[in-house]
Amino acid sequence: MAELVPLTTPLPGPRLTGRSALVTGGASGIGAATALRLAAEGATVLAVDLDGEGLGRTVAALPAEATGGITPHVADVSDEDAVAGAVAVAVEGGGGLHVVANIAGILRAAHTTEHSLQMWDQVIRVNLTSTFLVCRAALPHLLTGGGAIINSASTSASFGHPWMAAYAASKGGVAALTHTLAVEYAKRGVRVNAIAPGSVRTSMTKGLDFPADADFDLIARIMSPIGPGDPASVAAVVALLASDDGAHISGEIIRIDGGTHA
Ligand code: NAP
């Protein structure tokens, strides 16, 4: 006879009460939406970004009924000392650290033949090296009480996105780093996943400047048949991965691409 398995997880409600979270890129787009979502779910969030004014707008956007809070922290996540400082502030303010969402990133588009080494180095440093730096600084704290890391990959890590050589390479690196950390810390209570958005309406995509002679047939290949997504829907996936609802998800690169890959 079929057996009824009782529902053991709590029904939906704030899932991150009592958790301390560090969110990079918290001034804009997906990072701002993530800071707001995690705080709305009860977390004490340190939102880190270069853009202090943008961080102020994120803090001001938190609804009064949110049970968590957001503290702004201006820092460059590609700077080793600044990252160590941000992690220390998050630990102090939140009474530990349980969730890290590495969302900050930059995108530069150019023909690969015109991609300068300076542009390549900058994109790799902000997107990939910063993810390594934040994970490395945060892991000792996550290991003390269990935790979750959510990195930002992209669909560019898994299929060709023309004119984005450095960006795609950085996101492929983020995916590989995510797999590595997920296994390395699997038995020590830390889950590590990445989101892989396709096209999301943010300043990054609004400011995207393809070369004037770019072939739009090739750009169409990377567009969703249902249109670009919104940052809040990506943040909802981050919150799932950060919460106990994601307790058995680790080492995944989760596409949020509106069916682009279907
Ligand atoms: P966004 O709106 O441009 O926000 C990115 C934020 O990161 C900005 O506030 C930016 O500040 C900040 N930032 C950049 N460099 C930084 C640094 N060195 N230190 C601290 N903060 C820094 O971008 P988004 O679209 O939300 O993207 C968020 C993440 O999702 C990125 O990793 C991106 O690659 C990834 N993603 C986005 C899409 C998409 O379609 N939007 C698709 C796939 C993946 P400034 O404005 O001052 O530079």
Side-chain angles (χ1 to χ4, degrees):
M1 191 173 154
E3 196 187 345
L4 179 68
V5 179
L7 185 63
T8 52
T9 45
L11 290 171
R15 296 177 291 186
L16 299 170
T17 304
R19 311 262 173 105
S20 162
L22 186 154
V23 178
T24 74
S28 175
I30 297 167
T34 296
L36 288 165
R37 177 67 190 241
L38 299 189
E41 296 233 28
T44 299
V45 176
L46 188 78
V48 180
D49 205 290
L50 286 171
D51 176 1
E53 279 181 27
L55 285 172
R57 285 191 292 275
T58 303
V59 171
L62 186 66
E65 63 271 25
T67 51
I70 304 175
T71 302
H73 184 85
V74 175
D76 178 350
V77 292
S78 66
D79 180 288
E80 190 174 19
D81 293 338
V83 166
V87 168
V89 171
V91 169
E92 170 129 7
L97 187 59
H98 312 102
V99 174
V100 171
N102 282 305
I103 313 288
I106 56 172
L107 170 58
R108 303 284 183 263
H111 287 290
T112 302
T113 48
E114 288 156 22
H115 227 59
S116 67
L117 180 58
Q118 189 257 346
M119 184 190 281
W120 172 276
D121 285 343
Q122 184 195 21
V123 171
I124 298 288
R125 185 152 186 102
V126 174
N127 294 356
L128 177 58
T129 307
S130 71
T131 303
F132 157 71
L133 290 174
V134 175
C135 290
R136 189 184 65 174
L139 271 162
H141 304 283
L142 301 177
L143 286 167
T144 65
I149 294 174
I150 301 97
N151 295 326
S152 293
S154 149
T155 49
S156 65
S158 55
F159 71 102
H161 283 38
W163 304 292
M164 298 186 195
Y167 182 79
S170 74
K171 296 302 184 178
V174 167
L177 177 64
T178 299
H179 288 137
T180 298
L181 298 184
V183 175
E184 192 170 329
Y185 294 99
K187 294 189 179 178
R188 300 178 65 191
V190 178
R191 294 181 297 103
V192 188
N193 292 290
I195 49 164
S199 178
V200 183
R201 270 182 233 97
T202 67
S203 326
M204 180 178 280
T205 44
K206 279 183 208 137
L208 181 54
D209 201 9
F210 281 111
D213 60 348
D215 179 338
F216 272 82
D217 286 347
L218 301 182
I219 293 172
R221 290 176 68 247
I222 65 176
M223 304 312 288
S224 160
I226 59 174
D230 73 279
S233 65
V234 179
V237 178
V238 177
L240 165 75
L241 294 170
S243 77
D244 292 345
D245 284 344
H248 210 53
I249 307 174
S250 195
E252 290 292 342
I253 313 299
I254 298 189
R255 283 200 317 267
I256 310 159
D257 70 355
T260 310
H261 238 77

